[in-house]
Amino acid sequence: MPKDVDELIALFDLTQTGESSFRGPHPQTYLQRLFGGQVLGQTLVAAARTVAADRQVHSLNAYFLRPGRNDAPLDFDVELVRDGGTFSNRRVVTRQGDREIFMMTASFQQAEEGLDHSAAQPTDVAVPEASPLLREVLQRRFGASFQLLSEWDALDVRLAARPDRTEFGGSMKAWVRTRQAMPDDPVLHAAVLAYLSDMTLLSVTTVPHEVEFLSPSMQAASIDHVMWFHRPVRVDEWLLYDMISPSASHARGFATGRLFQDGKAVASCAQEGLIRVID
């Protein structure tokens, strides 16, 4: 996976292969299948490449249909559904070879003024400098040879509060940002935000249970992912990711997340995924 911001940005450098079709690279990875956040972010970039530059994504709805292979590029076919006076809508099918592995609908809006309010950013968290690195937490739990430690080196991820069970279900809070500065392109920042939103969200669905999310006894995979972009964001500055899981049943876990920056909500997301306990 990307070891720094340059390699992370390179993931989203798509090659145009047709009027509204693109091809994206795949990284070297220890994972047996492609990281869902990578597919999510690359597909969003493909959709954005067909929209006027003054229209930014405000929502997406995506389904993970099949696991992505780690040895082949991705092809993105974008359907231009509608371009209205303010909004543009796109539908994207992502393929590897002749296999559809992912599909997304996304909506883009031209910036305009309107009513404005935001939930308050949670305050029951440690500051980033006092929060343990997720890498260190995983290393203590799984040992120094745990290969996933290097999968997200481009990101600085820290646990802002201990994962716990609350009256709302499983709970987890994390600080996250890129380790180096990013270019100003808002499409890149939205893509990386989508990328990082898939990192820890499903794991919170197992917090209330006596299971280990990354252990061989747990089969886990994202099924769908919905995201709303409320305000402009910079992913090279600290974001607080506030996640809860109100429900798990039928081998599926459901979680929602709120992303805050500078005290305001900048994005929200929701995901359902497979959390199947196996021998």
Side-chain angles (χ1 to χ4, degrees):
M1 295 296 283
K3 70 177 185 298
D4 55 30
V5 164
D6 287 342
E7 289 191 3
L8 181 61
I9 292 172
L11 280 181
F12 305 115
D13 185 15
L14 308 185
T15 301
Q16 189 160 1
T17 57
E19 184 176 353
S20 55
S21 59
F22 304 87
R23 172 165 285 190
H26 62 92
Q28 292 185 338
T29 177
Y30 291 115
L31 300 175
Q32 294 181 339
R33 59 178 184 265
L34 290 181
F35 170 50
Q38 174 202 325
V39 182
L40 188 68
Q42 287 179 314
T43 305
L44 175 57
V45 171
R49 290 273 295 271
T50 69
V51 176
D54 63 347
R55 299 188 178 196
Q56 298 300 317
V57 64
H58 73 86
S59 69
L60 62 82
N61 193 326
Y63 279 93
F64 296 88
L65 304 177
R66 295 181 177 89
R69 289 165 37 212
N70 60 13
D71 60 352
L74 297 173
D75 291 303
F76 310 93
D77 295 323
V78 184
E79 179 185 352
L80 282 64
V81 179
R82 177 179 180 268
D83 284 312
T86 307
F87 290 87
S88 293
N89 304 94
R90 299 291 185 264
R91 184 181 297 116
V92 191
V93 174
T94 302
R95 295 182 172 87
Q96 280 187 313
D98 59 356
R99 298 171 68 249
E100 294 184 6
I101 67 166
F102 184 81
M103 62 182 181
M104 172 192 289
T105 56
S107 183
F108 300 77
Q109 182 189 14
Q110 190 176 49
E112 59 181 293
E113 296 298 319
L115 303 177
D116 194 330
H117 75 272
S118 172
Q121 179 172 307
T123 57
D124 57 339
V125 295
V127 297
E129 294 73 19
S131 301
L133 292 169
L134 179 61
R135 182 187 182 97
E136 294 175 351
V137 173
L138 293 177
Q139 190 169 20
R140 286 197 300 269
R141 179 164 300 210
F142 294 104
S145 63
F146 188 56
Q147 292 178 322
L148 282 178
L149 294 175
S150 61
E151 286 295 312
W152 294 279
D153 279 349
L155 300 176
D156 187 348
V157 186
R158 305 176 181 225
L159 289 181
R162 182 177 178 178
D164 201 2
R165 179 172 186 168
T166 71
E167 60 183 315
F168 304 108
S171 173
M172 184 186 299
K173 296 180 177 68
W175 293 105
V176 60
R177 67 177 178 183
T178 60
R179 292 189 178 275
Q180 295 92 28
M182 289 272 297
D184 292 334
D185 183 359
V187 173
L188 273 178
H189 285 268
V192 175
L193 192 69
Y195 175 93
L196 66 85
S197 73
D198 189 46
M199 278 190 59
T200 53
L201 191 54
L202 187 58
S203 66
V204 74
T205 65
T206 62
V207 167
H209 306 279
E210 296 297 325
V211 296
E212 195 71 73
F213 182 71
L214 294 173
S215 74
S217 63
M218 172 66 63
Q219 182 183 3
S222 302
I223 297 173
D224 59 13
H225 195 97
V226 186
M227 196 164 184
W228 299 266
F229 301 79
H230 309 311
R231 291 175 173 83
V233 63
R234 289 203 64 93
V235 293
D236 50 7
E237 299 175 4
W238 284 118
L239 291 145
L240 180 63
Y241 197 3
D242 179 22
M243 297 159 279
I244 63 169
S245 173
S247 177
S249 62
H250 304 289
R252 302 189 313 273
F254 174 72
T256 64
R258 304 183 300 168
L259 288 136
F260 293 88
Q261 190 166 71
D262 297 329
K264 288 191 173 183
V266 294
S268 301
C269 56
Q271 184 178 94
E272 188 175 51
L274 179 70
I275 48 169
R276 179 181 291 146
V277 178
I278 58 177
D279 291 336

